[in-house]
Amino acid sequence: MTSLLAQIDSLGRSVTKNLEYTARVLLMVYLSLRATILDRAQGFRQIVGVISAQIYFTGWQALPLISVLALGTGSIILLQSLSNLSLLGGTQMIGNFLIVMIVREAGPLLVALVVIARSGTAVASEVGNMRANREIEALESMGINPLSFIVFPRVLGGIISVLGLAFYFNFIALIGGFLVTKFVQDLPLAFYTDSMMRAFAKEDVLIFLLKNGFSGMIIFVVCCYQGLSVKRSPHEVPQVTTQAVVNSIIFVVVFNLIVTALFYLNQLRSLGVV
C-alpha cells in the first residue's frame, strides 16, 4: 500500500511539474507579444532584421535537406501505396492515402524534427550563451526588453519558416515522388492529379496551418525559454540545449497526436459512429 501511494505521489509531482512548465512557456508567448506591442525601446527595423535572419537560417538554408527528405519520403510512400493498393484493386484511392500520410501526418512531424535539429539547437545555444555572457543584461540596461528583441522575432520567424518548409515539403513529396515513381510504374499524370484533387479537402488546409503553425511556435518558444534559463556558467548551455530538443520533440509529438485524434473523432461523429 505504501509503495502504491509513493508511485501515485511521484506521478502527481511529475504531472504538476509538466503542467507548470507548460504554463510558464505559454506565459512567455503572451509576455513576448505584449512586450513587442508596448515596448518602443527598439525600432521596428531592428525587429524585422532579426525576423529576416531567422527566416533565412531556418527556412532558406534548410531547403536542400528538406528537398532530399521530401523526395525520398514521397517516393517511398507512393511506391508502397501503389503496390499495396494495386493488389487490393483500390488504386483510385491513391490520392486519399497520400494526403493522409504526407500532408496530414508525415509532413508536419518530419519538418518539425528537421527544424528542431537545425534551428532549435542553434537558438537554444545562442540565447543561452547570450545569457551566460551577460549580453541580455546589457540589453536590459539599455531599456530593451529581451522578450521583444530576442524571443518574439525568433518565434515569428520560426512560425513563418516552418509553414513555408511544410508547404515546400508537401509539394516536393507529392510532385517529386510522382516523377521518381514514373521510372518504376507507369502512372498517368491525369489520373494522379485527379485523384489528388478529389482527395484534398478544406479540412486539410486547417490541419496544415494548425499543425505546422503551432509546431513552429512550440519549437522556438521552448528553445528560447530553455536558453533564458541559463544562470551564469557557459557549461549550462549544452545541458539546456539538450533539454530544449527533448522538450520540443515531446510537445510537438503530443500536439500532433491531439490534433489528429480530435480530427478523426470529429469525422467519426459526423458519420454517426460515436
Side-chain angles (χ1 to χ4, degrees):
M1 185 65 180
T2 305
S3 176
L4 178 61
L5 291 176
Q7 291 179 359
I8 295 175
D9 184 56
S10 176
L11 178 62
R13 284 197 301 268
S14 177
V15 171
T16 304
K17 183 179 179 180
N18 290 329
L19 290 176
E20 183 183 357
Y21 179 87
T22 305
R24 290 199 301 266
V25 170
L26 293 176
L27 179 62
M28 195 173 74
V29 177
Y30 164 73
L31 292 177
S32 62
L33 179 60
R34 182 175 181 271
T36 304
I37 296 173
L38 299 180
D39 196 7
R40 301 300 183 191
Q42 72 284 332
F44 178 74
R45 182 176 298 178
Q46 284 76 18
I47 294 179
V48 172
V50 179
I51 294 173
S52 302
Q54 191 63 56
I55 293 174
Y56 176 76
F57 172 68
T58 303
W60 179 257
Q61 292 188 343
L63 287 181
L65 177 58
I66 291 293
S67 300
V68 175
L69 187 63
L71 195 61
T73 303
S75 303
I76 292 172
I77 292 178
L78 186 54
L79 286 172
Q80 289 292 328
S81 60
L82 280 175
S83 60
N84 290 313
L85 291 175
S86 297
L87 292 175
L88 298 174
T91 313
Q92 67 275 6
M93 296 183 63
I94 185 67
N96 299 78
F97 187 80
L98 291 177
I99 290 294
V100 171
M101 291 299 298
I102 294 178
V103 177
R104 295 182 189 172
E105 307 303 335
L109 275 178
L110 291 176
V111 170
L113 292 176
V114 170
V115 171
I116 291 171
R118 285 190 72 260
S119 304
T121 54
V123 167
S125 59
E126 178 189 14
V127 176
N129 283 315
M130 292 176 68
R131 171 70 82 180
N133 296 330
R134 299 189 176 181
E135 296 178 39
I136 293 180
E137 292 181 7
L139 290 174
E140 292 174 340
S141 67
M142 292 186 291
I144 298 176
N145 194 325
L147 294 178
S148 63
F149 187 70
I150 295 175
V151 177
F152 178 78
R154 285 167 173 79
V155 172
L156 182 58
I159 293 173
I160 296 172
S161 300
V162 171
L163 287 171
L165 288 175
F167 180 82
Y168 180 78
F169 179 94
N170 292 335
F171 178 80
I172 296 298
L174 296 174
I175 304 302
F178 169 78
L179 296 177
V180 172
T181 309
K182 286 289 289 184
F183 293 100
V184 182
Q185 291 191 0
D186 186 19
L187 182 66
L189 177 60
F191 172 80
Y192 181 75
T193 54
D194 181 66
S195 179
M196 293 294 301
M197 293 301 295
R198 284 189 286 106
F200 192 78
K202 60 182 180 180
E203 290 84 2
D204 296 312
V205 177
L206 178 61
I207 293 176
F208 173 85
L209 294 174
L210 195 62
K211 282 191 173 183
N212 295 290
F214 274 88
S215 292
M217 185 188 72
I218 289 168
I219 293 167
F220 288 90
V221 169
V222 169
C223 291
C224 288
Y225 178 84
Q226 290 298 143
L228 291 172
S229 67
V230 172
K231 302 302 181 185
R232 299 290 183 185
S233 174
H235 299 292
E236 299 177 45
V237 175
Q239 300 174 5
V240 299
T241 302
T242 302
Q243 194 63 42
V245 171
V246 173
N247 290 345
S248 297
I249 292 175
I250 292 174
F251 274 86
V252 167
V253 171
V254 170
F255 179 77
N256 277 266
L257 286 174
I258 291 174
V259 172
T260 299
L262 291 176
F263 172 75
Y264 286 110
L265 282 175
N266 184 61
Q267 292 288 95
L268 293 174
R269 187 179 293 108
S270 63
L271 294 174
V273 177
V274 293

